Amino acid sequence: MRVQTLYYKNHVLYVLDQLQLPRYKKYIVCRDWRQVAQVIKKMNIRGAPAIGVAAAFGIALAAREQNTSDRQRFLDQIYIASKALVSTRPTAVNLAWAIKRMLDYLETIKSRDIKGIKTFLEKKAQQVLAEDVLINKKMAVQGEKLIPGNARVLTHCNAGALATAGYGTALGVIREAHKRGKKITVWVDETRPYLQGARLTAWELKEEKIPFYLISDNMAGHFISRGEVDCIITGADRVAANGDTANKIGTYSLAVLAKENCIPFYIAAPCSTIDLHIKSGSEIPIEERSAEEVTCIAGKRIAPPGIKVKNPAFDVTPHKYITAIITEKGIVKKPYLKNLKKLKKSL
Amino acid sequence: MRVQTLYYKNHVLYVLDQLQLPRYKKYIVCRDWRQVAQVIKKMNIRGAPAIGVAAAFGIALAAREQNTSDRQRFLDQIYIASKALVSTRPTAVNLAWAIKRMLDYLETIKSRDIKGIKTFLEKKAQQVLAEDVLINKKMAVQGEKLIPGNARVLTHCNAGALATAGYGTALGVIREAHKRGKKITVWVDETRPYLQGARLTAWELKEEKIPFYLISDNMAGHFISRGEVDCIITGADRVAANGDTANKIGTYSLAVLAKENCIPFYIAAPCSTIDLHIKSGSEIPIEERSAEEVTCIAGKRIAPPGIKVKNPAFDVTPHKYITAIITEKGIVKKPYLKNLKKLKKSL
């Protein structure tokens, strides 16, 4: 990938504006944490790992932007920012995870001078970013073993480089299989309403010259039933202790279709997406987004005015439909309750 | 419904331009059969029963527009028109059925004078239109018995008044249940790529004041799995002898989701949609439409240029997923092979 999802330079966070893709490659300049909260909320940046990394820089900026010499006031401002950042999007646990990581680190350095804390927090956020890329590459190496040669792989939403600090989760696995010469063809769901598939995944695959077909979401079942899909792989926004997985709306339906047609359904997600505090999928908060995302496309209204709309951004796939969960530490299979616990303990 | 899908007046066919809905209510004026073929092909008019009725008027116009006094030449021109009309869209059998009906009738009147034939063909097409409305009303009365009070009914595409000469098939059933005071709420799939749900079904239901929620196609599974959908009802473009049903792309996935979550899945279609010449769904031709329908919405490009796209307009739902087929002659249940044959014999 020639384009970076986000990068930090001279105390400024640059966020690729994914609302403008694939038409324009423009970066939004974030000089304070409020701007970071805004780009996450508005989905200029999206994808569970990517918003986690962005939030880590949000914490660094919350420190950097202050002029106070009062340590308690300085720390309080960071805590206020962290609370606001964590509330921008409720479903992806990586957001809370990255912020907690920054705060845990802050705890260990908070007796230092303010200038030092600012610098250390920036370095820590840079580390969170670098690690994310590394984790994705490890995940890709683990996951590509599951992908047969000549496989026709279906993916939903964008779990690519754009959803992370680089390389991607589900798309990282596909990228790795392609790199190793496996002759992959990808089915790309357009992923309404935000069109992450049509706008982002199609763009990434085109850039990488990985063959693919774009389809609308409701076509997936047709091709699966005709034996034209060998496996499905998606990312995740939160995996519960029992393996139930929240991911982009439409994922559940794909998992059911996979089961009905006897093809494997894989999740690719870093260990930070696994949330053992959540027992099952029913406890995962599902974000409801604005009606306009459904009734307007690219600024054009497609439905009559004044109607009722539902727009859940995610759904939950019960663990029974998931063949395996690919992480950077290995591939997790059933029983998930036991094996996810074991995995997390090993970290 | 205050707006008519199509009507014929002073030897001219007026077709409501469904590509302009819900923004504009404009009629396209068809003065010859080529214009009728064009509006069917371009999907200005769509829906299996509606295009059948339009094609019937196409035959009437193919007769009306001729100045020849040579009977054989006159008839030959009608046969040429009928072949072109039948080839405009391959999946819906109603198109071929309506044209055959016109030609069968022509056979009985072809010894009359040319002027007489012209008038009789127009009258016959008017009869096909009037019958379609009547059939839909009968179907609605049959089908509404299956809909419980307070039901939350999911429908896909537009199988409403706009898909027929009036009243609708699947939406006719919903309309009837609403009329009888059953307090129905409808889940409306937006139905990519053509957006029949968002543009047409939402518009019809709003006009009739039937409560509904618009959702994108990939959200249906989420609400079904949460127990918020009591049944699914769709139209059909062709029903094979064994009950396998071709309908708008996405229907198959809904049927699988219904089965997985133990809710009934109904098809509402006139007997003319049942094609006993086709043994099973695998024999039904599936129309592939242009890539632009997927990559552009309302004239705006949503995907990178130069990519590969698949755009099957229909899929096939195997009969095992179908709880019942609602027709104007009664409700057909399994075994479909036997019961559909019995139904067709009774006509």
Side-chain angles (χ1 to χ4, degrees):
Chain A
M1 289 291 292
R2 268 154 250 141
V3 177
Q4 277 182 287
T5 307
L6 74 173
Y7 64 93
Y8 192 77
K9 206 177 162 183
N10 297 333
H11 319 306
V12 173
L13 179 67
Y14 296 86
V15 173
L16 180 62
D17 187 358
Q18 299 192 26
L19 285 170
Q20 305 288 331
L21 283 175
R23 251 182 138 73
Y24 306 106
K25 292 174 207 168
K26 284 187 185 166
Y27 282 85
I28 297 171
V29 179
C30 299
R31 296 179 194 279
D32 61 56
W33 72 263
R34 281 182 185 83
Q35 289 172 310
V36 177
Q38 196 66 3
V39 294
I40 296 173
K41 212 177 174 77
K42 278 196 169 179
M43 287 177 71
N44 303 95
I45 187 167
R46 30 61 54 197
I51 61 175
V53 175
F57 283 109
I59 299 295
L61 284 172
R64 173 60 60 187
E65 72 197 66
Q66 291 186 65
N67 292 321
T68 185
S69 57
D70 179 331
R71 179 186 304 276
Q72 197 49 50
R73 205 164 153 182
F74 171 76
L75 292 172
D76 284 350
Q77 283 303 311
I78 298 176
Y79 299 141
I80 287 169
S82 70
K83 272 187 191 160
L85 282 163
V86 89
S87 73
T88 48
R89 297 200 68 197
T91 303
V93 73
N94 310 60
L95 188 64
W97 171 87
I99 291 167
K100 186 179 179 301
R101 218 175 139 196
M102 293 297 286
L103 294 184
D104 286 351
Y105 178 66
L106 175 62
E107 199 57 31
T108 67
I109 57 162
K110 72 176 178 186
S111 56
R112 287 178 180 266
D113 63 287
I114 287 179
K115 199 181 156 201
I117 295 174
K118 288 179 179 178
T119 306
F120 276 108
L121 284 178
E122 282 179 327
K123 281 189 179 161
K124 189 69 187 177
Q126 290 282 22
Q127 191 194 329
V128 171
L129 182 146
E131 276 179 18
D132 187 60
V133 181
L134 209 69
I135 282 168
N136 289 335
K137 287 192 173 164
K138 280 185 186 167
M139 205 187 306
V141 170
Q142 295 284 350
E144 79 84 26
K145 297 172 203 158
L146 296 171
I147 312 295
N150 302 307
R152 298 155 302 174
V153 185
L154 188 141
T155 191
H156 188 63
C157 194
N158 173 270
L162 292 168
T164 62
Y167 214 72
T169 56
L171 225 50
V173 171
I174 290 168
R175 191 168 262 136
E176 189 69 24
H178 172 77
K179 230 173 75 180
R180 297 189 182 211
K182 278 187 174 172
K183 293 197 175 156
I184 305 300
T185 306
V186 187
W187 290 102
V188 178
D189 273 4
E190 66 174 7
T191 319
R192 281 279 291 143
Y194 188 91
L195 295 165
Q196 288 95 332
R199 297 192 302 105
L200 310 178
T201 300
W203 181 71
E204 278 196 34
L205 291 171
K206 195 188 166 195
E207 292 266 314
E208 300 257 344
K209 298 189 171 59
I210 301 174
F212 70 95
Y213 290 103
L214 176 66
I215 55 173
S216 62
D217 301 310
N218 58 19
M219 293 171 190
H222 173 67
F223 292 108
I224 295 168
S225 75
R226 286 161 73 114
E228 296 185 41
V229 178
D230 298 306
C231 66
I232 300 176
I233 179 164
T234 75
D237 288 80
R238 195 183 307 221
V239 179
N242 71 345
D244 290 357
T245 296
N247 190 46
K248 182 50 53 198
I249 189 76
T251 304
Y252 162 73
S253 300
L254 292 172
V256 170
L257 288 161
K259 180 200 159 206
E260 188 70 12
N261 290 281
C262 307
I263 61 166
F265 176 83
Y266 302 119
I267 293 288
C271 293
S272 56
T273 306
I274 301 160
D275 184 359
L276 297 186
H277 298 105
I278 292 273
K279 276 187 204 159
S280 76
S282 63
E283 293 177 26
I284 302 176
I286 300 294
E287 180 183 2
E288 176 83 21
R289 293 186 62 86
S290 79
E292 283 66 35
E293 282 188 0
V294 175
T295 56
C296 298
I297 301 179
K300 284 224 178 182
R301 197 167 178 92
I302 55 153
I307 62 170
K308 281 187 184 170
V309 171
K310 292 272 188 184
N311 183 14
F314 305 94
D315 61 23
V316 171
T317 300
H319 60 271
K320 68 171 176 177
Y321 297 107
I322 301 167
T323 313
I325 300 173
I326 301 157
T327 76
E328 72 275 24
K329 294 284 178 192
I331 290 158
V332 184
K333 293 199 171 178
K334 288 165 196 162
Y336 290 115
L337 195 60
K338 186 182 139 204
N339 292 336
L340 287 174
K341 210 175 186 175
K342 216 166 93 183
L343 180 89
K344 285 289 253 190
K345 264 197 183 157
S346 76
L347 295 180
Chain B
M1 287 292 291
R2 269 152 249 141
V3 177
Q4 277 182 288
T5 307
L6 74 175
Y7 64 93
Y8 192 78
K9 206 175 162 184
N10 297 333
H11 319 306
V12 173
L13 180 66
Y14 296 86
V15 172
L16 180 61
D17 187 357
Q18 299 192 25
L19 286 170
Q20 305 288 330
L21 283 176
R23 251 182 138 72
Y24 306 106
K25 291 174 207 170
K26 285 185 183 167
Y27 282 85
I28 297 171
V29 179
C30 300
R31 294 177 194 281
D32 61 56
W33 71 264
R34 281 180 185 83
Q35 290 173 308
V36 177
Q38 196 67 2
V39 294
I40 296 173
K41 213 177 175 76
K42 280 196 169 178
M43 289 177 69
N44 302 95
I45 187 167
R46 30 61 54 198
I51 62 176
V53 175
F57 284 109
I59 300 295
L61 284 172
R64 173 61 58 186
E65 72 197 65
Q66 291 187 65
N67 292 322
T68 185
S69 56
D70 179 333
R71 179 186 305 274
Q72 196 50 49
R73 206 164 152 181
F74 171 76
L75 292 173
D76 284 349
Q77 283 303 312
I78 298 176
Y79 299 142
I80 287 168
S82 70
K83 273 188 189 158
L85 282 163
V86 89
S87 72
T88 47
R89 298 201 66 197
T91 303
V93 74
N94 310 59
L95 188 65
W97 170 88
I99 292 166
K100 186 178 179 300
R101 218 175 140 198
M102 293 296 286
L103 294 183
D104 286 352
Y105 178 68
L106 175 62
E107 199 57 32
T108 68
I109 56 164
K110 71 178 180 185
S111 57
R112 288 178 178 268
D113 63 288
I114 288 180
K115 200 181 155 201
I117 295 176
K118 287 179 180 179
T119 306
F120 277 108
L121 284 178
E122 283 179 328
K123 280 190 179 160
K124 189 72 185 174
Q126 291 281 23
Q127 189 192 331
V128 171
L129 181 145
E131 275 179 17
D132 187 60
V133 181
L134 210 67
I135 282 169
N136 289 335
K137 287 193 174 165
K138 280 185 186 168
M139 204 187 308
V141 171
Q142 296 284 348
E144 78 84 26
K145 296 172 204 157
L146 297 171
I147 312 293
N150 302 307
R152 296 154 305 173
V153 185
L154 189 142
T155 191
H156 189 65
C157 194
N158 173 271
L162 292 168
T164 62
Y167 213 72
T169 57
L171 225 50
V173 172
I174 290 168
R175 190 168 264 136
E176 190 68 24
H178 172 78
K179 228 173 74 179
R180 296 189 182 210
K182 278 189 176 172
K183 291 196 177 158
I184 305 299
T185 306
V186 187
W187 290 101
V188 178
D189 273 4
E190 67 173 9
T191 318
R192 281 281 290 145
Y194 188 90
L195 296 165
Q196 288 94 333
R199 296 194 301 105
L200 311 179
T201 299
W203 181 70
E204 278 197 34
L205 292 172
K206 195 187 165 195
E207 292 267 315
E208 299 258 345
K209 297 190 173 57
I210 301 174
F212 70 95
Y213 290 102
L214 176 66
I215 55 172
S216 62
D217 301 311
N218 57 19
M219 292 171 191
H222 172 69
F223 292 108
I224 295 168
S225 75
R226 286 160 73 112
E228 296 185 40
V229 179
D230 297 307
C231 67
I232 301 176
I233 179 164
T234 76
D237 287 81
R238 194 181 306 222
V239 179
N242 70 346
D244 291 355
T245 296
N247 190 46
K248 181 51 54 198
I249 190 75
T251 304
Y252 161 74
S253 300
L254 291 173
V256 170
L257 287 162
K259 179 200 160 208
E260 189 71 12
N261 291 281
C262 307
I263 61 165
F265 175 83
Y266 302 118
I267 293 289
C271 294
S272 57
T273 307
I274 300 160
D275 184 359
L276 296 186
H277 298 104
I278 293 271
K279 275 186 205 158
S280 75
S282 62
E283 292 177 27
I284 302 175
I286 300 294
E287 179 183 4
E288 177 83 22
R289 294 187 62 86
S290 80
E292 283 65 37
E293 281 189 1
V294 175
T295 56
C296 297
I297 302 179
K300 284 225 177 180
R301 198 169 176 91
I302 55 151
I307 61 169
K308 282 188 183 168
V309 171
K310 293 271 188 184
N311 184 13
F314 305 94
D315 60 24
V316 171
T317 299
H319 61 273
K320 69 171 174 177
Y321 297 107
I322 301 167
T323 312
I325 299 172
I326 301 157
T327 77
E328 72 275 25
K329 294 283 178 193
I331 290 158
V332 184
K333 294 199 171 179
K334 290 163 193 162
Y336 290 116
L337 194 61
K338 185 182 140 202
N339 292 337
L340 287 174
K341 209 174 188 176
K342 217 166 92 183
L343 180 89
K344 285 290 255 189
K345 263 193 184 161
S346 75
L347 296 179

